[in-house]
Amino acid sequence: MSKILILNGPNLNLLGTREPEIYGHETLSDIEQNCKEHGKSIGIEIDFRQSNSEGELVDWIQGAVETIDGIIINPAAYTHTSVAILDALNQAGCPFIEVHLSNLFSREPFRHHSYVSPIAKGVICGFGAHGYLLALDAISKLVSDKEEY
Ligand code: DQA
């Protein structure tokens, strides 16, 4: 069974009540439950985490080396600021997919740049919570076709 780490950055713990017109009404725990159910149906074990701290996210990415087959990450605001998360993902040794609930490109210009996109296998944004399930399908294919990365 493949092991996938799903990481969520700052303020995503507030989903459900945080700007629902942008981020939707589902809570992070709804998303976690949906990911775990979907993961089970496609043979993926999921470790789902959230932190408001950049350093903690870096620690978790470092901890994934050798133990995790792939990462799905919504770095939230750190997407647009964090060289530290970029560096950590660069040495994680497994493929990762970047996910955003909102369509970054229909929002403020400062959200159009992501530090991590250039090294992601792919980016999914604008599909709300469903984007996490799309990312799970995509990473499942990536980890089963290991020779592709
Ligand atoms: C987000 C988009 C980011 O710009 C923002 O800072 C977030 C959430 C998204 O999922 O749409 O916190 O990553």
Side-chain angles (χ1 to χ4, degrees):
M1 208 180 210
S2 305
K3 282 192 188 164
I4 301 298
L5 180 62
I6 304 184
L7 295 179
N8 295 280
N11 299 305
L12 294 174
N13 53 314
L14 301 178
L15 287 179
T17 52
R18 175 192 180 201
E19 300 179 272
E21 65 289 358
I22 295 176
Y23 297 117
H25 292 277
E26 282 184 80
T27 65
L28 195 62
S29 102
D30 294 333
I31 294 175
E32 175 173 7
Q33 202 182 317
N34 291 341
C35 284
K36 288 191 168 159
E37 273 170 25
H38 190 59
K40 210 170 172 187
S41 73
I42 59 172
I44 281 182
E45 189 185 321
I46 289 169
D47 183 353
F48 192 99
R49 303 182 187 194
Q50 187 276 333
S51 180
N52 291 329
S53 153
E54 184 177 22
E56 191 162 39
L57 291 163
V58 168
D59 287 344
W60 287 340
I61 296 165
Q62 287 183 7
V65 176
E66 308 281 320
T67 62
I68 289 289
D69 299 301
I71 297 173
I72 293 170
I73 184 166
N74 182 349
Y78 293 139
T79 307
H80 319 298
T81 63
S82 181
V83 176
I85 290 176
L86 166 67
D87 286 350
L89 287 167
N90 229 340
Q91 60 74 60
C94 64
F96 80 91
I97 293 177
E98 179 183 352
V99 175
H100 300 280
L101 296 148
S102 61
N103 178 356
L104 301 181
F105 303 99
S106 65
R107 302 186 63 195
E108 306 94 317
F110 69 84
R111 294 186 205 274
H112 298 181
H113 175 259
S114 160
Y115 276 93
V116 304
S117 294
I119 62 157
K121 288 302 288 188
V123 182
I124 294 170
C125 78
F127 297 102
H130 186 60
Y132 284 75
L133 305 184
L134 296 173
L136 271 173
D137 286 338
I139 206 141
S140 158
K141 169 118 180 71
L142 282 177
V143 299
S144 60
D145 301 348
K146 276 203 169 98
E147 66 279 6
E148 281 184 18
Y149 61 88

